[in-house]
Amino acid sequence: MPANYKAELVGVIGQPVAENPTGVMQEAAFAARGLNWRYLTMEVPPSRLAEAVAGARALGFRGFNVTIPHKVAVMQHLDGISPEARMIGAVNTVRREGDCFIGENTDGKGFLRGVRVNAGVDPKGKRVFLLGAGGAARAIATELALAGAAEIVVLNRTEARGAAMVEDLCKNTGVKASLVVWRGTHVIPEGFDLVVNATSVGLYPDVAAMPDVDLRRLAPGTLVCDAVFNPPETRLLRTARSLGLPVLDGLSMLVYQGVIGFEIWTGQSAPEAVMYEALQKALRD
Ligand code: NDP
């Protein structure tokens, strides 16, 4: 067989991006599958986003992840957007089809896979209480709605942002959704099956922080989830656990969005356990 020294390229663009651990997980997956692929972590300021996408196209990138602050702005530089990413209004994964770049969003799909596989919960018919209305919240809410959730109540500090998200959610998915504006400690009422934190409260280095909610009225069995993955065990999850409630950490969402990305790019099944372990080790070190 003739030699082939040319690696296939993927990566992530964002700013700041140096601490993004996705590359560790994807490189471990490529090694485990014996693929000559590289995942590059690339710092790109907003003023150079258009050039970066054009450069990736010219360099033959097979795709790339997109993180803060480019998840919305990148859409105008792509050749197509998946229906789900369009509903969410943001792209976190780009795949190549011929010479075209297509935008996808795997954040909510990754969350959903974690709920199903790691927590053993089917969101169909469930009532969801969701904290936050940013990019992660939009992705999670959209996928939960598409998976048949019965109702989504959104709690957000900034009214305009929360209202815009709820309006889009109802219009795009037809789910029953409403907004509660967050003023001081919010006692989450009974009657919900899933509580999800999609705010950035509790994220490293502010690990002592917890979203200002009271979980004590939740019924036994209510699943409490956190999108924050660093640290994996947030104060919110510790509190839920101390009340005897089942929990799902943000690591599962991060791993599964990477698993889905790997499968989209390579067309092969992802070595999930290898990816999980690589990520856990990266966050521990
Ligand atoms: P955004 O900046 O888009 O949204 C942040 C949200 O947090 C907003 O709703 C904001 O409310 C709310 N918020 C921030 N500070 C507070 C506070 N002190 N009290 C109440 N609400 C607050 O961020 P993202 O949606 O992109 O990310 C949110 C979190 O999800 C981050 O921790 C991120 O790391 C995590 N994430 C995890 C992923 C995973 O794979 N596990 C993937 C993507 C994100 P307001 O509108 O009022 O400002």
Side-chain angles (χ1 to χ4, degrees):
M1 208 163 65
N4 179 2
Y5 300 113
K6 185 191 161 298
E8 300 298 337
L9 299 177
V10 289
V12 57
I13 57 171
Q15 188 184 49
V17 84
E19 288 182 18
N20 188 309
T22 303
V24 174
M25 156 171 90
Q26 296 292 2
E27 290 271 339
F30 296 149
R33 287 283 182 263
L35 293 173
N36 187 17
W37 285 53
R38 299 285 177 281
Y39 188 102
L40 305 176
T41 300
M42 299 168 286
E43 184 98 6
V44 174
S47 62
R48 319 243 15 205
L49 179 60
E51 283 174 87
V53 175
R57 191 180 271 113
L59 290 166
F61 270 65
R62 298 287 291 263
F64 51 92
N65 285 129
V66 184
T67 190
I68 285 171
H70 305 314
K71 286 186 175 184
V72 175
V74 76
M75 294 171 81
Q76 62 186 300
H77 303 297
L78 303 176
D79 307 294
I81 308 286
S82 74
E84 293 92 336
R86 174 118 15 237
M87 283 184 205
I88 294 162
V91 159
N92 80 328
T93 302
V94 174
R95 66 182 165 84
R96 192 178 190 108
E97 240 183 58
D99 206 27
C100 293
F101 275 153
I102 311 295
E104 306 265 355
N105 196 312
T106 64
D107 279 337
K109 293 182 200 301
F111 173 78
L112 210 59
R113 211 188 279 197
V115 167
R116 288 192 169 123
V117 177
N118 292 19
V121 171
D122 179 358
K124 195 169 166 56
K126 301 290 192 292
R127 294 188 73 224
V128 180
F129 196 89
L130 177 63
L131 318 182
R138 279 181 168 262
I140 289 170
T142 300
E143 296 293 346
L144 284 171
L146 294 176
E151 184 181 359
I152 300 177
V153 175
V154 176
L155 180 69
N156 201 52
R157 200 177 48 171
T158 306
E159 185 169 2
R161 201 174 188 194
M165 170 174 147
V166 165
E167 193 188 327
D168 287 349
L169 198 56
C170 295
K171 191 178 70 197
N172 293 331
T173 69
V175 75
K176 182 178 171 199
S178 56
L179 172 70
V180 177
V181 180
W182 206 336
R183 302 258 178 270
T185 306
H186 190 85
V187 181
I188 303 179
E190 45 208 287
F192 289 94
D193 307 291
L194 246 77
V195 172
V196 185
N197 175 40
T199 74
S200 43
V201 181
L203 182 64
Y204 179 87
D206 208 1
V207 298
M210 166 171 158
D212 198 2
V213 287
D214 186 332
L215 306 176
R216 284 175 296 184
R217 296 212 1 220
L218 297 177
T222 306
L223 178 65
V224 178
C225 314
D226 210 327
V228 171
F229 60 83
N230 187 14
E233 176 149 292
T234 57
R235 191 170 150 210
L236 175 72
L237 296 190
R238 270 202 309 280
T239 305
R241 217 191 282 277
S242 73
L243 294 169
L245 300 169
V247 300
L248 179 69
D249 67 32
L251 212 54
S252 71
M253 176 176 170
L254 186 64
V255 171
Y256 286 124
Q257 63 79 29
V259 162
I260 296 166
F262 179 98
E263 291 170 351
I264 287 175
W265 292 326
T266 68
Q268 298 196 17
S269 75
E272 295 180 11
V274 169
M275 295 172 82
Y276 229 109
E277 204 170 299
L279 202 55
Q280 271 174 323
K281 183 172 180 311
L283 293 175
R284 251 194 335 260
D285 291 348

